[in-house]
Amino acid sequence: MVTVIVVVIAFVVLLLLISSVRMVQQYEKGIVLRFGRLLPAIREPGLQLIVPIADRMRKVSMQTVVMPIPAQGAITKDNVTLTVDAVVYYRVIDPVRAIINVEHYPTAVSQVAQTSLRSVIGRADLDTLLSDRDQINAELQAVIDAPTEGPWGLHIDRVEVKDVALPEGMKRSMSRQAEAERERRARVIAADGEFQASAKLAGAARVMADTPGALQLRLLQTVVDVAAEKNSTLVMPFPVELLRFFERATQTEETPAVETNGHEQDAVLSAATITKLNDIADNES
């Protein structure tokens, strides 16, 4: 009978010893409630002993938690309806406040993140939301971190907007706007090119005006370029200056070269004709 009692006592003691041992992982910290009252000491990683029946240990993970925010429908500052989803990275920095001050802190963080996301989207316009994600992410982090870090012992490491879903009509409008912007840039670039080309041509014209022979050389170069094509028919204007050059070269020494215009030359020819007619008339008489 005594042996049985000793065995029972030993078994009970063993059960109490087993129930008093708790293991805290490296990434965890533990807080102990004794008869419902919080003990000030925070249990570090390793084997920890508690008082059976009287103590209860709550272990809190200190790892960074990645929490997706469900897609939220919101209206931007410029009255555009869209759907936005995001992701929140947070971690516990004070396990006591995370357990004592808030009930199930992951759910609390999720609700705060959803309401904050709708609030921030409502204060931003569509262009800022699409082009300046860093500003939106920073504002979201500040809004979510304000009510959670102090009272709840949580720190928001990062908040990132994952996707922005636009209505189909808005997508088509933005596509037309982008196409019109690209066409405007193309026209500006083409007009600037025409302006630069005209400026260069004006400079070349001034150089050729100062040197008349340059125009002839350019004309001959153009003829050479066109003549390279075997199937081209070339119609080339003959410059008057070149005719005058050949006229001066073929004049004899007895006939001095006189620079006359067309009317004076016609007058000279008419006087010679009249003289010849007078000679013929004298011979016949």
Side-chain angles (χ1 to χ4, degrees):
M1 186 67 180
V2 176
T3 305
V4 174
I5 295 175
V6 171
V7 171
V8 171
I9 294 174
F11 181 72
V12 171
V13 171
L14 181 61
L15 287 179
L16 292 176
L17 182 62
I18 293 174
S19 62
S20 65
V21 177
R22 294 289 186 273
M23 178 179 292
V24 181
Q25 301 294 333
Q26 181 64 40
Y27 54 87
E28 296 176 333
K29 288 187 179 180
I31 62 173
V32 178
L33 301 174
R34 180 168 294 173
F35 294 112
R37 296 179 64 87
L38 176 68
L39 297 181
I42 296 178
R43 303 303 174 91
E44 299 295 333
L47 290 176
Q48 300 291 336
L49 297 177
I50 61 175
V51 178
I53 301 175
D55 293 348
R56 291 184 58 191
M57 176 180 286
R58 296 284 302 274
K59 292 182 285 187
V60 181
S61 175
M62 307 300 290
Q63 293 176 313
T64 299
V65 180
V66 181
M67 174 179 291
I69 303 176
Q72 303 294 313
I75 300 177
T76 62
K77 185 178 180 180
D78 48 355
N79 298 325
V80 178
T81 303
L82 43 78
T83 303
V84 183
D85 57 351
V87 60
V88 179
Y89 302 85
Y90 74 93
R91 57 187 174 87
V92 177
I93 58 176
D94 190 342
V96 174
R97 285 182 290 179
I99 296 299
I100 301 300
N101 293 352
V102 60
E103 180 183 3
H104 197 253
Y105 61 86
T107 303
V109 173
S110 176
Q111 295 300 318
V112 170
Q114 292 180 35
T115 55
S116 300
L117 179 60
R118 288 194 294 267
S119 176
V120 171
I121 296 302
R123 294 196 299 266
D125 53 13
L126 182 60
D127 292 338
T128 303
L129 183 61
L130 296 177
S131 62
D132 196 356
R133 291 285 184 88
D134 293 337
Q135 178 184 348
I136 301 297
N137 294 338
E139 188 174 354
L140 270 174
Q141 180 179 351
V143 171
I144 298 174
D145 193 53
T148 57
E149 184 170 4
W152 299 348
L154 307 174
H155 177 67
I156 307 300
D157 290 333
R158 296 176 61 187
V159 180
E160 293 183 354
V161 176
K162 293 174 58 179
D163 187 26
V164 178
L166 296 173
E168 292 298 327
M170 180 58 63
K171 290 181 180 179
R172 290 192 294 269
S173 299
M174 295 176 64
S175 177
R176 290 194 298 268
Q177 179 183 1
E179 184 178 357
E181 178 65 20
R182 287 193 296 269
E183 185 176 356
R184 182 188 68 84
R185 292 179 183 177
R187 290 183 178 180
V188 169
I189 293 173
D192 185 64
E194 293 292 338
F195 175 76
Q196 295 180 8
S198 61
K200 294 296 183 182
L201 288 174
R206 286 192 294 269
V207 173
M208 290 182 180
D210 296 337
T211 308
L215 180 61
Q216 304 303 324
L217 294 176
R218 183 58 185 166
L219 177 62
L220 295 177
Q221 182 64 39
T222 304
V223 172
V224 172
D225 294 338
V226 175
E229 297 293 335
K230 301 300 182 181
N231 56 353
S232 299
T233 301
L234 177 61
V235 178
M236 185 183 70
F238 209 67
V240 178
E241 289 79 2
L242 193 58
L243 291 175
R244 291 178 179 176
F245 173 77
F246 286 117
E247 182 182 359
R248 295 191 187 96
T250 55
Q251 285 179 349
T252 60
E253 294 181 358
E254 291 80 5
T255 306
V258 180
E259 184 69 24
T260 62
N261 54 20
H263 297 290
E264 293 177 352
Q265 187 175 2
D266 291 340
V268 172
L269 292 175
S270 299
T273 304
I274 293 172
T275 303
K276 185 175 182 181
L277 292 174
N278 290 332
D279 292 339
I280 293 174
D282 292 338
N283 292 331
E284 288 180 353
S285 60

